[in-house]
Amino acid sequence: MKYINNNFFIEQKNIKNLVKKFSTPLYCYSYKNLKKNIENFKNIFKQISPLICFSVKSNSNILLLKEIKKLGLGADVVSKGELFASLKAGINKKKIVFSGVGKTRAEIEYAIKQEILLINSESLSEVLTIEKVARKLNKVVNIGLRLNPDTDAQTLKQISTGKSENKFGVDKKTFIKIINLMKNSKFIKIKCLSVHIGSQILNYKPYDKMLNVLDEILENLNYKFETIDLGGGMGINYENKGKKLNYLKYKKSIIKFKKKYNCKIIFEPGRSIIGNAGILVTKVIYLKHNKTKTFVILDAAMNDLIRPALYNAKHRIIPYQRNNSRSKKTLEFVGPVCETTDKFLTEKNFQSIKENDIMIICDTGAYGYSLSSNYNLRVRPEEILINGNKVKIIRKRQKISDII
Ligand SMILES: *Cc1c(COP(=O)(O)O)cnc(C)c1O
């Protein structure tokens, strides 16, 4: 994605032409970026030969899942719907793990019948439910047990999952208790220890701390796990400030760990695979001035992209067409939804803009469409996939009749 003669292109496609054809708001994905992210991830961890399970909640578009499958990944799912979509996309059942704190009996039964690789369990009650269902179906079920390592991921508090105050996983004491309790179960085999400490992590140190906690537990527990599922959480560069996760340091620590415990490794990346492969294209409906700033009212809103409203996340906004003049006032990019938090970004020194201009909200491939809603009875946007000069609609814009 880049400017050519001051106009923004996604692969070989001029955004303006896409807008003419598909209207706005519009999610556009670059196949090349997706492919590059997957290849980079595989290359970095080649020595570890991990199973890479794409976190489907970050983007559950089934046509994207099909591409991700073709590029060799499995899936990490958190609901029956995501499991269904992953199977429908052709992802091998033996490359699917099922995470989440509240899987219902019906979801567990479905997952067992599909014979997926692992159900990653997050409480004693859930383990016992899985055992009951397995007994009823007369099947032996492989599960993972998610540990809450009580490590601070040093990310936004709303997307931290590995501190003791968070609802995810079980604490060390409970973990050991469940392992001992289930050692001789006929229907449940605990094959995997899983962790996932949070999202948008840019510092490798929390990962190191997490590995140290695992090491401590495993040293004192006379139990062999076939697999260690390290979760996802690798951060991306939203603000263009060059802060990057040091993958090499993380990899080194994992190699050491893997040598010591001779286990297979699973990763569950979402954001780092699809985040920077997507943009949200939008148009300026109105400009409105007050004493101190100009509101830029876009046709995309918090129902299309909720991350800024939900966690104060920052997404860069760039103009489709670059110019050399500056806006005198501070610009506040907002959506039309009737909520004060329906606000994307405040920018000083932005270029001058006018009504009907096309704007691009960057890095919206992950937790963009998948977190969208019909709030204010707005239809969900269209999604298209660009590969070179080819364009494919991968989800049509909703119609009002679809939602009422
Ligand atoms: C959300 C989630 C992930 C993916 O996190 P990213 O930050 O998108 O890589 C992985 N594992 C589990 C259990 C999750 O809940």
Side-chain angles (χ1 to χ4, degrees):
M1 300 186 209
K2 59 173 181 295
Y3 286 98
I4 299 176
N5 297 327
N6 286 327
N7 293 335
F8 200 74
F9 278 67
I10 178 163
E11 303 209 4
Q12 292 170 33
K13 285 292 180 184
N14 187 325
I15 291 290
K16 192 176 181 177
N17 297 332
L18 295 175
V19 168
K20 242 185 235 158
K21 185 150 180 205
F22 300 102
S23 179
T24 51
L26 178 70
Y27 274 101
C28 305
Y29 301 92
S30 157
Y31 177 77
K32 286 209 172 69
N33 278 16
L34 170 65
K35 187 165 176 239
K36 195 169 72 195
N37 290 340
I38 291 178
E39 281 170 357
N40 283 347
F41 198 97
K42 281 186 182 166
N43 271 330
I44 290 167
F45 293 113
K46 202 159 51 194
Q47 262 173 289
I48 296 168
S49 46
L51 172 61
I52 307 168
C53 294
F54 174 66
S55 171
V56 174
K57 76 175 190 289
S58 68
N59 193 316
S60 44
N61 185 294
I62 191 152
L63 291 171
L64 287 178
L65 292 179
K66 279 187 183 168
E67 299 300 340
I68 288 165
K69 180 239 156 188
K70 280 189 223 153
L71 293 164
L73 304 201
D76 164 44
V77 302
V78 292
S79 70
K80 182 176 176 179
E82 287 189 1
L83 175 50
F84 182 83
S86 302
L87 292 166
K88 200 89 182 154
I91 293 174
N92 185 327
K93 62 186 183 180
K94 290 299 173 206
K95 285 185 172 181
I96 300 180
V97 299
F98 192 171
S99 310
V101 290
K103 296 184 260 331
T104 64
R105 208 186 154 106
E107 287 182 307
I108 289 166
E109 189 162 331
Y110 179 68
I112 292 177
K113 284 183 177 160
Q114 301 305 317
E115 300 178 331
I116 62 171
L117 180 66
L118 287 169
I119 301 176
N120 280 343
S121 178
E122 304 209 17
S123 63
L124 177 57
S125 295
E126 191 186 45
V127 171
L128 295 175
T129 302
I130 299 171
E131 194 188 36
K132 258 188 229 150
V133 179
R135 187 187 301 271
K136 190 186 91 179
L137 299 175
N138 196 26
K139 282 192 181 232
V140 179
V141 179
N142 292 335
I143 72 168
L145 188 56
R146 178 161 171 186
L147 175 76
N148 183 321
D150 196 18
T151 11
D152 184 353
Q154 297 180 25
T155 181
L156 296 171
K157 73 173 191 312
Q158 299 94 328
I159 51 176
S160 283
T161 56
K163 287 281 287 169
S164 61
E165 69 250 35
N166 304 135
K167 68 180 175 181
F168 300 99
V170 296
D171 62 24
K172 194 173 149 183
K173 223 173 111 192
T174 314
F175 187 90
I176 294 168
K177 188 176 124 191
I178 296 176
I179 294 295
N180 288 324
L181 198 67
M182 290 292 140
K183 250 182 192 158
N184 301 314
S185 167
K186 257 177 75 183
F187 294 99
I188 281 189
K189 303 285 169 219
I190 303 184
K191 299 270 188 185
C192 170
L193 185 171
S194 83
V195 273
H196 172 72
I197 58 173
S199 203
Q200 186 51 18
I201 298 169
L202 288 170
N203 187 337
Y204 77 94
K205 283 181 189 150
Y207 282 126
D208 255 11
K209 279 195 190 142
M210 169 188 96
L211 286 172
N212 286 337
V213 174
L214 298 195
D215 189 33
E216 233 173 71
I217 290 186
L218 292 177
E219 272 193 345
N220 295 306
L221 189 72
N222 184 21
Y223 189 87
K224 163 95 181 112
F225 291 97
E226 255 173 37
T227 310
I228 305 289
D229 180 343
L230 295 172
M234 295 81 172
I236 63 170
N237 189 5
Y238 283 110
E239 297 189 62
N240 224 4
K241 283 187 190 146
K243 201 174 163 199
K244 262 167 74 183
L245 176 65
N246 191 331
Y247 276 92
L248 292 183
K249 287 211 166 133
Y250 186 26
K251 181 181 79 170
K252 262 194 185 160
S253 306
I254 299 172
I255 290 176
K256 206 171 115 198
F257 182 91
K258 188 175 147 76
K259 271 208 186 112
K260 182 163 172 188
Y261 293 106
N262 186 29
C263 51
K264 286 184 252 175
I265 299 289
I266 295 177
F267 289 116
E268 305 168 342
R271 192 188 308 274
S272 52
I273 300 298
I274 195 74
N276 70 4
I279 54 175
L280 177 57
V281 180
T282 173
K283 248 185 182 171
V284 178
I285 309 176
Y286 298 118
L287 295 177
K288 175 159 105 169
H289 311 278
N290 76 2
K291 248 188 236 160
T292 56
K293 58 191 170 189
T294 298
F295 294 102
V296 183
I297 303 167
L298 302 171
D299 66 1
M302 66 188 285
N303 77 294
D304 304 300
L305 174 69
I306 203 176
R307 296 189 70 255
L310 190 63
Y311 348 101
N312 227 343
K314 295 271 179 297
H315 285 268
R316 280 178 302 128
I317 297 183
I318 57 175
Y320 153 69
Q321 190 162 53
R322 279 200 298 216
N323 66 37
N324 289 320
S325 61
R326 299 284 107 192
S327 290
K328 286 188 194 81
K329 277 189 179 166
T330 296
L331 302 184
E332 191 157 298
F333 292 91
V334 301
V337 157
C338 304
E339 294 286 344
T340 299
T341 57
D342 184 25
K343 183 167 91 179
F344 291 113
L345 199 66
T346 307
E347 284 278 77
K348 285 182 184 137
N349 294 318
F350 204 82
Q351 73 170 47
S352 65
I353 61 179
K354 50 188 196 312
E355 294 179 355
N356 280 318
D357 276 359
I358 299 167
M359 293 289 145
I360 290 143
I361 309 180
C362 299
D363 304 317
T364 53
Y367 309 103
Y369 193 100
S370 65
L371 265 163
S372 68
S373 77
N374 291 121
Y375 186 41
N376 279 205
L377 218 51
R378 287 166 52 90
V379 296
R380 283 180 216 226
E382 189 132 315
E383 290 182 290
I384 60 175
L385 177 62
I386 290 96
N387 184 0
N389 62 6
K390 289 195 301 260
V391 181
K392 185 167 166 185
I393 298 177
I394 54 171
R395 183 143 41 191
K396 283 193 181 138
R397 190 175 303 284
Q398 270 184 329
K399 296 193 186 78
I400 291 175
S401 57
D402 295 336
I403 51 178
I404 58 168

mmCIF file of all heavy atoms in Angstrom, residues 24 67 69 103 121 123 132 138-139 173 183 212 214 229 237 240-241 262-263 266 268 279-280 319 334:
data_model
loop_
_atom_site.group_PDB
_atom_site.id
_atom_site.type_symbol
_atom_site.label_atom_id
_atom_site.label_comp_id
_atom_site.label_asym_id
_atom_site.label_seq_id
_atom_site.Cartn_x
_atom_site.Cartn_y
_atom_site.Cartn_z
ATOM 1 N N THR A 24 -18.386 3.681 0.101
ATOM 2 C CA THR A 24 -17.724 3.699 1.416
ATOM 3 C C THR A 24 -18.799 3.587 2.495
ATOM 4 O O THR A 24 -19.956 3.880 2.210
ATOM 5 C CB THR A 24 -16.941 5.018 1.623
ATOM 6 O OG1 THR A 24 -17.814 6.111 1.324
ATOM 7 C CG2 THR A 24 -15.696 5.091 0.787
ATOM 8 N N GLU A 67 -7.920 -18.296 2.331
ATOM 9 C CA GLU A 67 -6.564 -17.921 1.895
ATOM 10 C C GLU A 67 -5.542 -18.267 2.979
ATOM 11 O O GLU A 67 -4.452 -18.761 2.680
ATOM 12 C CB GLU A 67 -6.489 -16.422 1.567
ATOM 13 C CG GLU A 67 -7.417 -15.956 0.444
ATOM 14 C CD GLU A 67 -7.162 -16.635 -0.897
ATOM 15 O OE1 GLU A 67 -6.056 -17.177 -1.090
ATOM 16 O OE2 GLU A 67 -8.095 -16.646 -1.743
ATOM 17 N N LYS A 69 -5.754 -20.528 5.202
ATOM 18 C CA LYS A 69 -5.607 -21.996 5.177
ATOM 19 C C LYS A 69 -4.635 -22.420 4.076
ATOM 20 O O LYS A 69 -3.730 -23.230 4.280
ATOM 21 C CB LYS A 69 -6.976 -22.631 4.962
ATOM 22 C CG LYS A 69 -6.963 -24.134 4.919
ATOM 23 C CD LYS A 69 -7.494 -24.660 3.613
ATOM 24 C CE LYS A 69 -6.939 -26.047 3.379
ATOM 25 N NZ LYS A 69 -7.237 -26.582 2.085
ATOM 26 N N LYS A 103 -17.071 -21.916 27.353
ATOM 27 C CA LYS A 103 -17.624 -22.789 26.304
ATOM 28 C C LYS A 103 -18.817 -23.545 26.888
ATOM 29 O O LYS A 103 -18.703 -24.177 27.935
ATOM 30 C CB LYS A 103 -16.536 -23.759 25.823
ATOM 31 C CG LYS A 103 -15.362 -23.057 25.164
ATOM 32 C CD LYS A 103 -14.354 -24.022 24.611
ATOM 33 C CE LYS A 103 -13.099 -24.296 25.410
ATOM 34 N NZ LYS A 103 -12.501 -23.347 26.286
ATOM 35 N N SER A 121 -8.915 -25.610 27.879
ATOM 36 C CA SER A 121 -9.890 -25.431 28.948
ATOM 37 C C SER A 121 -9.403 -24.376 29.940
ATOM 38 O O SER A 121 -8.209 -24.201 30.131
ATOM 39 C CB SER A 121 -10.079 -26.777 29.620
ATOM 40 O OG SER A 121 -10.965 -26.642 30.656
ATOM 41 N N SER A 123 -11.108 -23.725 33.252
ATOM 42 C CA SER A 123 -11.527 -23.848 34.649
ATOM 43 C C SER A 123 -11.764 -25.306 34.990
ATOM 44 O O SER A 123 -11.929 -26.147 34.094
ATOM 45 C CB SER A 123 -12.818 -23.068 34.900
ATOM 46 O OG SER A 123 -13.876 -23.606 34.131
ATOM 47 N N LYS A 132 -17.510 -35.135 31.186
ATOM 48 C CA LYS A 132 -18.866 -35.699 31.147
ATOM 49 C C LYS A 132 -19.330 -35.932 29.712
ATOM 50 O O LYS A 132 -19.856 -36.987 29.378
ATOM 51 C CB LYS A 132 -19.851 -34.714 31.821
ATOM 52 C CG LYS A 132 -20.245 -35.122 33.223
ATOM 53 C CD LYS A 132 -21.356 -34.213 33.738
ATOM 54 C CE LYS A 132 -20.983 -33.708 35.124
ATOM 55 N NZ LYS A 132 -21.518 -32.388 35.442
ATOM 56 N N ASN A 138 -18.495 -41.432 24.564
ATOM 57 C CA ASN A 138 -17.514 -42.515 24.585
ATOM 58 C C ASN A 138 -16.292 -42.209 23.716
ATOM 59 O O ASN A 138 -15.886 -43.001 22.872
ATOM 60 C CB ASN A 138 -18.166 -43.834 24.173
ATOM 61 C CG ASN A 138 -17.307 -45.028 24.555
ATOM 62 O OD1 ASN A 138 -16.509 -44.932 25.503
ATOM 63 N ND2 ASN A 138 -17.421 -46.118 23.819
ATOM 64 N N LYS A 139 -15.747 -41.013 23.921
ATOM 65 C CA LYS A 139 -14.563 -40.598 23.165
ATOM 66 C C LYS A 139 -13.472 -40.127 24.116
ATOM 67 O O LYS A 139 -13.765 -39.545 25.153
ATOM 68 C CB LYS A 139 -14.930 -39.429 22.245
ATOM 69 C CG LYS A 139 -15.660 -39.868 21.000
ATOM 70 C CD LYS A 139 -15.707 -38.704 20.029
ATOM 71 C CE LYS A 139 -16.458 -39.129 18.804
ATOM 72 N NZ LYS A 139 -15.830 -38.924 17.573
ATOM 73 N N LYS A 173 -1.889 -22.767 41.449
ATOM 74 C CA LYS A 173 -2.341 -23.776 42.409
ATOM 75 C C LYS A 173 -3.438 -24.651 41.804
ATOM 76 O O LYS A 173 -3.403 -25.880 41.869
ATOM 77 C CB LYS A 173 -2.878 -23.053 43.660
ATOM 78 C CG LYS A 173 -2.444 -23.693 44.951
ATOM 79 C CD LYS A 173 -2.850 -22.865 46.146
ATOM 80 C CE LYS A 173 -3.943 -23.609 46.909
ATOM 81 N NZ LYS A 173 -4.585 -22.737 47.922
ATOM 82 N N LYS A 183 -5.090 -36.910 36.043
ATOM 83 C CA LYS A 183 -4.000 -37.786 35.600
ATOM 84 C C LYS A 183 -4.497 -39.120 35.078
ATOM 85 O O LYS A 183 -4.012 -39.629 34.076
ATOM 86 C CB LYS A 183 -3.032 -38.034 36.767
ATOM 87 C CG LYS A 183 -1.700 -37.349 36.568
ATOM 88 C CD LYS A 183 -0.753 -37.642 37.705
ATOM 89 C CE LYS A 183 0.441 -36.700 37.603
ATOM 90 N NZ LYS A 183 1.127 -36.545 38.892
ATOM 91 N N ASN A 212 9.361 -17.953 32.069
ATOM 92 C CA ASN A 212 9.961 -18.290 33.370
ATOM 93 C C ASN A 212 8.944 -18.905 34.319
ATOM 94 O O ASN A 212 9.252 -19.832 35.063
ATOM 95 C CB ASN A 212 10.587 -17.049 34.015
ATOM 96 C CG ASN A 212 11.885 -16.660 33.334
ATOM 97 O OD1 ASN A 212 12.529 -17.503 32.695
ATOM 98 N ND2 ASN A 212 12.263 -15.398 33.452
ATOM 99 N N LEU A 214 6.292 -20.611 33.411
ATOM 100 C CA LEU A 214 6.050 -21.969 32.923
ATOM 101 C C LEU A 214 7.176 -22.900 33.377
ATOM 102 O O LEU A 214 6.942 -24.015 33.834
ATOM 103 C CB LEU A 214 5.974 -22.004 31.396
ATOM 104 C CG LEU A 214 4.875 -21.214 30.698
ATOM 105 C CD1 LEU A 214 4.738 -21.666 29.249
ATOM 106 C CD2 LEU A 214 3.556 -21.357 31.391
ATOM 107 N N ASP A 229 1.239 -24.308 24.222
ATOM 108 C CA ASP A 229 0.573 -23.325 23.363
ATOM 109 C C ASP A 229 0.851 -21.946 23.950
ATOM 110 O O ASP A 229 0.366 -21.615 25.031
ATOM 111 C CB ASP A 229 -0.927 -23.638 23.330
ATOM 112 C CG ASP A 229 -1.709 -22.664 22.459
ATOM 113 O OD1 ASP A 229 -1.181 -21.580 22.136
ATOM 114 O OD2 ASP A 229 -2.871 -22.978 22.147
ATOM 115 N N ASN A 237 2.738 -2.142 14.445
ATOM 116 C CA ASN A 237 3.176 -0.763 14.533
ATOM 117 C C ASN A 237 2.059 0.207 14.120
ATOM 118 O O ASN A 237 2.067 0.720 13.012
ATOM 119 C CB ASN A 237 4.400 -0.644 13.604
ATOM 120 C CG ASN A 237 5.092 0.665 13.754
ATOM 121 O OD1 ASN A 237 4.742 1.479 14.615
ATOM 122 N ND2 ASN A 237 6.071 0.897 12.908
ATOM 123 N N ASN A 240 3.306 4.165 13.812
ATOM 124 C CA ASN A 240 4.406 4.519 12.934
ATOM 125 C C ASN A 240 5.566 5.150 13.685
ATOM 126 O O ASN A 240 6.250 6.023 13.174
ATOM 127 C CB ASN A 240 3.919 5.488 11.846
ATOM 128 C CG ASN A 240 4.465 5.089 10.493
ATOM 129 O OD1 ASN A 240 5.131 4.054 10.377
ATOM 130 N ND2 ASN A 240 4.189 5.886 9.480
ATOM 131 N N LYS A 241 5.777 4.717 14.929
ATOM 132 C CA LYS A 241 6.869 5.289 15.699
ATOM 133 C C LYS A 241 8.049 4.327 15.762
ATOM 134 O O LYS A 241 9.021 4.552 16.469
ATOM 135 C CB LYS A 241 6.393 5.629 17.110
ATOM 136 C CG LYS A 241 5.560 6.900 17.142
ATOM 137 C CD LYS A 241 5.247 7.317 18.564
ATOM 138 C CE LYS A 241 4.216 8.429 18.583
ATOM 139 N NZ LYS A 241 3.331 8.326 19.743
ATOM 140 N N ASN A 262 11.395 -30.541 25.520
ATOM 141 C CA ASN A 262 11.127 -31.400 24.361
ATOM 142 C C ASN A 262 9.637 -31.459 24.024
ATOM 143 O O ASN A 262 9.021 -32.531 24.032
ATOM 144 C CB ASN A 262 11.698 -32.799 24.644
ATOM 145 C CG ASN A 262 11.580 -33.697 23.434
ATOM 146 O OD1 ASN A 262 11.591 -33.215 22.296
ATOM 147 N ND2 ASN A 262 11.446 -34.987 23.669
ATOM 148 N N CYS A 263 9.065 -30.294 23.764
ATOM 149 C CA CYS A 263 7.624 -30.233 23.496
ATOM 150 C C CYS A 263 7.379 -29.538 22.156
ATOM 151 O O CYS A 263 8.256 -28.835 21.642
ATOM 152 C CB CYS A 263 6.943 -29.434 24.607
ATOM 153 S SG CYS A 263 7.740 -27.856 24.892
ATOM 154 N N ILE A 266 2.762 -24.339 19.900
ATOM 155 C CA ILE A 266 1.666 -23.744 19.124
ATOM 156 C C ILE A 266 1.708 -22.232 19.341
ATOM 157 O O ILE A 266 1.978 -21.766 20.448
ATOM 158 C CB ILE A 266 0.284 -24.294 19.582
ATOM 159 C CG1 ILE A 266 0.158 -25.790 19.284
ATOM 160 C CG2 ILE A 266 -0.863 -23.532 18.900
ATOM 161 C CD1 ILE A 266 -1.146 -26.423 19.764
ATOM 162 N N GLU A 268 -0.776 -18.680 18.435
ATOM 163 C CA GLU A 268 -2.125 -18.270 18.022
ATOM 164 C C GLU A 268 -2.145 -16.790 17.636
ATOM 165 O O GLU A 268 -2.831 -15.983 18.265
ATOM 166 C CB GLU A 268 -3.116 -18.494 19.184
ATOM 167 C CG GLU A 268 -3.155 -19.888 19.745
ATOM 168 C CD GLU A 268 -3.930 -19.981 21.064
ATOM 169 O OE1 GLU A 268 -4.153 -18.942 21.735
ATOM 170 O OE2 GLU A 268 -4.325 -21.096 21.423
ATOM 171 N N ILE A 279 -7.294 -1.953 5.458
ATOM 172 C CA ILE A 279 -7.563 -0.534 5.707
ATOM 173 C C ILE A 279 -9.076 -0.310 5.640
ATOM 174 O O ILE A 279 -9.793 -1.109 5.027
ATOM 175 C CB ILE A 279 -6.875 0.397 4.671
ATOM 176 C CG1 ILE A 279 -7.246 -0.014 3.233
ATOM 177 C CG2 ILE A 279 -5.373 0.413 4.861
ATOM 178 C CD1 ILE A 279 -6.714 0.919 2.153
ATOM 179 N N LEU A 280 -9.511 0.747 6.281
ATOM 180 C CA LEU A 280 -10.923 1.118 6.191
ATOM 181 C C LEU A 280 -10.986 2.441 5.422
ATOM 182 O O LEU A 280 -10.416 3.446 5.857
ATOM 183 C CB LEU A 280 -11.526 1.258 7.596
ATOM 184 C CG LEU A 280 -12.978 1.720 7.687
ATOM 185 C CD1 LEU A 280 -13.922 0.805 6.901
ATOM 186 C CD2 LEU A 280 -13.428 1.772 9.158
ATOM 187 N N PRO A 319 -4.846 10.842 4.171
ATOM 188 C CA PRO A 319 -5.730 11.218 3.065
ATOM 189 C C PRO A 319 -5.475 10.337 1.849
ATOM 190 O O PRO A 319 -4.349 9.875 1.654
ATOM 191 C CB PRO A 319 -5.309 12.660 2.760
ATOM 192 C CG PRO A 319 -3.867 12.721 3.175
ATOM 193 C CD PRO A 319 -3.702 11.767 4.325
ATOM 194 N N VAL A 334 -14.383 12.121 13.402
ATOM 195 C CA VAL A 334 -15.470 11.465 14.138
ATOM 196 C C VAL A 334 -16.379 10.740 13.148
ATOM 197 O O VAL A 334 -16.320 10.960 11.943
ATOM 198 C CB VAL A 334 -16.296 12.488 14.950
ATOM 199 C CG1 VAL A 334 -15.430 13.242 15.949
ATOM 200 C CG2 VAL A 334 -17.013 13.466 14.014
#
